[in-house]
Every structure is written in structure tokens, then in C-alpha cells.
Amino acid sequence: MRAFQMLYSRVHNLNLISTKYPQIHKLFKTFHSTNLRFINDSATADVSTIYDPVTGSLVTKRVPKSKHTAAVSDKDPYKLSSSDDADALKDDRSYGNAVKSNHGRSGFGVNKKKSKSKSTWVCSDCGYTDGQWWGYCRECKSAGTMKEFTEIDDGGKTSGFQVSEKIVRSWLPKGSGEAVPMRVTDVNRGINHLNWRFPLSGPFGNEVSRVLGGGLVPGSLVLIGGDPGVGKSTLMLQIAAIIAEGREIGKPAPVLYVSGEESVEQIGNRADRMEINTEELFLYSSTDIEDILGKAQVLSPRALIIDSIQTVHLMGVTGSAGGIYQVKECTAALLRFAKKTDIPVFLIGHVTKSGDIAGPRVLEHIVDAVLYMEGEQYSSHRLLRAFKNRFGSTDELGVFEMSPCGLKAVANPSEIFLSEEHSDSEVLAGLAIAVIMDGSRTFVIEIQALCAAGTSLSRQVNGVQAGRADMIISVLMKQAGLKLQSNAIFLNVVSGATLTETAGDLAVAAAICSSFLEFPIPNNVAFIGEVGLGGELRMVPKMEKRVSTVAKLGYKKCVVPILALKSLQGLDFGELEVLGCKNLKEVINTVFVQDA
Ligand code: TYD
Ligand code: MG
């Protein structure tokens, strides 16, 4: 660093750099902007320390607070003398902007003349917007992606709040008077809690309702996130059709589906393929929020769907569609719209590379509910998970299957991770069934193990944490006396599922034992329990729910930690036999014995 600073101070005055060595020049530019940040950080303090590249040392300045900024911009130590260095000038300008925007934020009204046009720097990758140029995007850290946008400030800035106020006010005739604080009992008296939520009919509707916390709440703003292509538009089109039909409440009503990504014909084509033919579903293709809300006004729909929030924009707001300001302001406009009109609004949001919606997670705290749609690339199953829900639990999970004509609710979601039943699985060693929970849902998962003696020793695990697998193998060797040392061990979780819970430990151990002992486990036995370092079986949460799922699916035996027997006492599991075991040795002696 020191050497770099020295070098910088030496060559800093030579204009040769930019022309002869563009790479080095770029490096210096980054270095230069880092220095600028240093100044900016201390811009509100009385004492500021800056690095002076000419002397190569840190210089502390004491400046009276009110004059501080002016002093810094007058005696800018980084103002390169060469006026033909365009890049250097650019840096200077952005520095000027930074000072200016600092003023704006802290309420000082200096530099009024210059505030007519304002530059913002928007990352072309993630949409992050900054008031000044940095060598890299401070959000996604990619270099060279910050592009300059100049915004003419006409003094009357638009915000999502203003737009929705304007539209909603012209819409609602009643000047409902001033809002005053109300007693909670009075508020609740006016609401019929049974009919408060809008029910969604049919198996598909039930599955969506479940994730929403029991139905659609009037005036709610719901964000549906997910990877591109996972099926968000398909899901929303189906939900829109159900709301429009309104079977549960007996009368159809308009629903407006707005797409900024597809044309009306494209959506219509898709709807046709999915056999959606309700009269009340209206499609519209637009990206302008004011236009969309204006059209919604005419239609007065039962619900509004925006596909997607990254494609819509608000006139007068800085940045391009998908940028942080646009996304924020558009969401704010839609939030006000939903709250004022009691029309539920759904937003579709693409998840970016980093896993966030619209770069930073700006939307999550604005909206009422965030649902994520997940799916494996090669599996037709889709999970809809509540990540945040102001009107219900986030424990809920919807399970769907993508079919050629849209999403369908899965009839028996507990079994989606099971492989097809083989008639010969009775004789296949190395398979064991685990029971895991996801939210409030129970899933049975098949775990496979293969112990191959004599081959070059290796361990491959798929869907199980490598550390956890190592631990279970070591415990089997040490505490249960299995001679696994000379075996290559492979573990696999069927269907590409991942075992995240320790409740699957026992099934992993059982699968390894089964393969090692060449003793097939009958396919009607399930295993629930955590394995401790002493080989003991430990309790896991929600035992009752897990065991009852296993019973419902027709399993005959379920191996659980002995401590669980107490909590399961007195419960009726039909034909299921619950076997309590203290440790792995006991499991081996119970399961891996020939029936007399
Ligand atoms: P889509 O809803 O367009 O995804 P998103 O809006 O999240 O980007 O769904 C795209 C995928 O869904 C596409 O790859 C094909 C598949 N699909 C079906 O399998 N069946 C269908 O009926 C539909 C409409 C889509
Ligand atoms: Mg889409």
C-alpha cells in the first residue's frame, strides 16, 4: 500500500499515465475515488483527516463546521492540474455532486444554482443507485458497471406517494373526513372476521390460501419472488382467474393482470393453454404506474396484479425501471393504492443473482407479505413459501406441480420426495426413510447409502451435509462397532432434496448399516431421530406430527428415540408400531434381525 502511495505521488503529475498505461490509470482512478470517500465520510466533522498523495502522508485539518465543505472543495488536493484529463474531471464532478447531495440531505441550502440538474450513477447489473461515481458498485461489487444518468430537477419531484394520492383522490368520491384514533374494540366491531378474507376455491386455491394465511386479505400488498422461469407468471395468472371467478362468494368480478414483460396476446395464449376462460379476467400491457392505476380506476377490479415490479416505472423518478428508486417509489404508489382502495395488489419480483429482489431487499419491509416460489431445475415440483406475512404464519408451505396446463396442487405432498416404489425394494439394501419438517409440513424422504468394500476409499455425499455425514459414520464405527474403515461410502438423498434437519440422522445411519450389513430394510419402516456423539438417539421437535404422517401414509413401523415414547403415549396411530430405541446399537438389534 505504502509503495503504491509513493508511486502514485511520483507519477501523479505526469499526464503520461492516462495515455500510455490505461490499466495503471484505471487503478489510480479507483485509488483516487477511495480517497474521496475518506473525505466525504468526514465531511460533517470539524476535524478531517485526508491522505495527501503529493507528500505521501495523512494530513489532519481543523475547519470550522459551517465553512468546512467550502474549504474542502476550494482546496481540493486531488484537483489534477491537467485539464485535458477527462477522467480526472469526471471524478472531480462526482465529488462535487457528493458534497452537494450531502448538503441536500443535511438541509444546508448552499449551491442552489447547481441543483438544477443532478447526476446519479446506476449499476447496470443490480440497479443500485448512488449519488456519486465509485470505481465499482457498492452493492454487488462489480467493477465498471456504474452508468451516469442526468436528471433535470424541475423542483417538483414525483414520488409514489403523490401519484397514488392523486389517483386515489380523484377516484374515491367520499371525502371520508379526517381519520382519528379509534379504539381497537370499535375497529374490530366493524369487521366480520369470518368473511374478512377472500377465499380461493379449489385444490389449487386452497394451497395458495394456506400460504397466504387462510385467504386473500383486502387491501394487502403481496410480493411473489422467485428465479426467472420458475413459474411466477403462471401462478399469478391462475390466482387471478380464481379471484375473478369468485366461486366461493358466488359472483364474478373483474381482475386486472398487468404485464410489463409480455404482450396481451402472449398472456392470452398462455391463459388459453391453461384453459382459463373467465370473462372477468382483464389483461393489460403497460409499464407506466400512473397509466396502470388510471386504467384500474375505470375497471375497479377485485384484485390487481403487476408482472413484474422491475419493469414498471414512475415518470419523474430518478433511474431506469428496475433501479432501486423506481422499484421503491412504484411499490410505495401501489401500497398507497392498495390501502386506500382495499384492492389487494400482487407484485411479481425477480430474484437477482445475489438472491435478493431488486438488488437490495428494499421491498420486503414495504409489502405486507413476501412469498417465494422455489423449484429444482429438473423437477416439476414447485414450493411456495411465506417469507414474511403480516396476516398469518410464515410456517406455511404450498406444494405444486408444474404440468403442461399450469400449476396443480399436489394431492399427497408428504410423498413428493419418495422414489417410485420398486416391487423389489424389499431386497435392495441401503435404503431408509427419514421424516423431516418444512414449516408446518411433513415430508418423508428416501435416503440411500452404498458401502463398497475394497475399492479406493472415498466418501461422496449428496443432499446431506458432509460434516454431519462424517460424524454419523464415525459414531457408527466407534459406538456401534461397525467396521466401516475399509469401505468407500456414498450417500444420496432421493429427488435432489437436501437434508437440513438433524431429524434425518437416524435414517442416514440406518441406510449405512443396511448397506454395510447387506440387510435390506423393509419398505414400510421409517426412522426419526437425531444421533448424538455417544451413539444415543435424541429427541427432535414435532414428533407427534411426524409419526402421524408416517401412520397416515401406511407405514407399519417407526423407529424413534426412546424418550419420544412418553410424549406419544395415548395417541392413536392405527396400525403403526412405534419402536423406541436408546442408541444405535439398539436400533441395529431391533431392525437388522431376521424375524423368527
Ligand atoms: P413462467 O410463469 O413464465 O415463469 P416466470 O414468470 O417465473 O419467469 O413459467 C415459465 C416456465 O413454466 C416455462 O419454462 C414453462 C413452464 N410452464 C409449464 O410447464 N406449463 C405451463 O402450463 C406453463 C404456462 C408454463
Ligand atoms: Mg414471468
Side-chain angles (χ1 to χ4, degrees), residues 7 24 38 74 89 130 145 180 190 194 259 281 346 410 468 474 492 506 532 548-550 555 561 566 579:
L7 184 65
I24 299 177
F38 200 10
D74 287 348
L89 271 181
D130 209 316
T145 55
V180 286
L194 284 178
S259 180
L281 180 56
F346 287 91
V410 172
R468 197 83 204 161
S474 308
N492 181 39
L506 182 55
S548 65
T549 304
V550 171
Y555 284 77
K566 220 190 249 172
L579 304 168

Side-chain angles (χ1 to χ4, degrees), residues 224-238 257 261-262 269-271 273-275 307-308 348-350 373 380 382 401-407:
I224 314 269
D227 292 329
V230 76
K232 302 177 295 297
S233 305
T234 310
L235 176 86
M236 277 323 304
L237 199 58
Q238 283 179 257
Y257 185 104
E261 303 189 340
E262 291 166 275
N269 195 303
R270 182 193 299 226
R273 198 148 40 91
M274 282 153 52
E275 288 159 23
D307 183 4
S308 65
I348 290 179
H350 295 294
M373 199 169 184
S380 60
R382 300 284 182 272
E401 187 163 17
M402 183 65 94
S403 74
C405 50
L407 287 160

Side-chain angles (χ1 to χ4, degrees), residues 95-169:
Y95 173 41
N97 274 340
V99 173
K100 198 166 55 191
S101 63
N102 255 350
H103 272 303
R105 238 174 275 145
S106 54
F108 298 108
V110 202
N111 275 352
K112 258 188 184 160
K113 264 184 275 168
K114 284 185 187 172
S115 67
K116 286 286 177 199
S117 82
K118 185 173 167 257
S119 284
T120 37
W121 303 84
V122 182
C123 172
S124 53
D125 261 13
C126 71
Y128 171 75
T129 312
D130 209 316
Q132 62 179 305
W133 184 85
W134 303 101
Y136 61 99
C137 169
R138 294 207 289 167
E139 185 62 34
C140 68
K141 307 282 182 266
S142 27
T145 55
M146 300 302 282
K147 302 271 180 311
E148 186 179 8
F149 285 85
T150 311
E151 201 57 36
I152 306 297
D153 192 357
D154 56 359
K157 269 178 125 189
T158 317
S159 76
F161 181 82
Q162 289 161 344
V163 168
S164 52
E165 278 296 306
K166 201 171 71 191
I167 287 176
V168 169
R169 210 177 298 138

Side-chain angles (χ1 to χ4, degrees), residues 230 373-376 379-384 398-400 402 407:
V230 76
M373 199 169 184
E374 302 166 5
E376 290 285 328
S379 156
S380 60
H381 288 117
R382 300 284 182 272
L383 304 180
L384 188 66
V399 185
F400 302 93
M402 183 65 94
L407 287 160

Side-chain angles (χ1 to χ4, degrees), residues 249-296:
I249 53 172
K251 55 175 191 293
V255 169
L256 180 56
Y257 185 104
V258 183
S259 180
E261 303 189 340
E262 291 166 275
S263 70
V264 174
E265 287 76 25
Q266 283 170 324
I267 316 167
N269 195 303
R270 182 193 299 226
D272 188 44
R273 198 148 40 91
M274 282 153 52
E275 288 159 23
I276 292 174
N277 45 20
T278 162
E279 288 283 320
E280 297 293 342
L281 180 56
F282 289 80
L283 308 176
Y284 186 52
S285 190
S286 173
T287 55
D288 182 356
I289 284 285
E290 278 186 80
D291 173 43
I292 293 168
L293 294 186
K295 293 292 183 320

Side-chain angles (χ1 to χ4, degrees), residues 68 162 185 214 240 350 414 519 536 542 556:
H68 176 79
Q162 289 161 344
T185 45
H350 295 294
S414 299
F519 191 111
E536 78 281 12
K542 301 190 184 162
K556 293 283 177 292

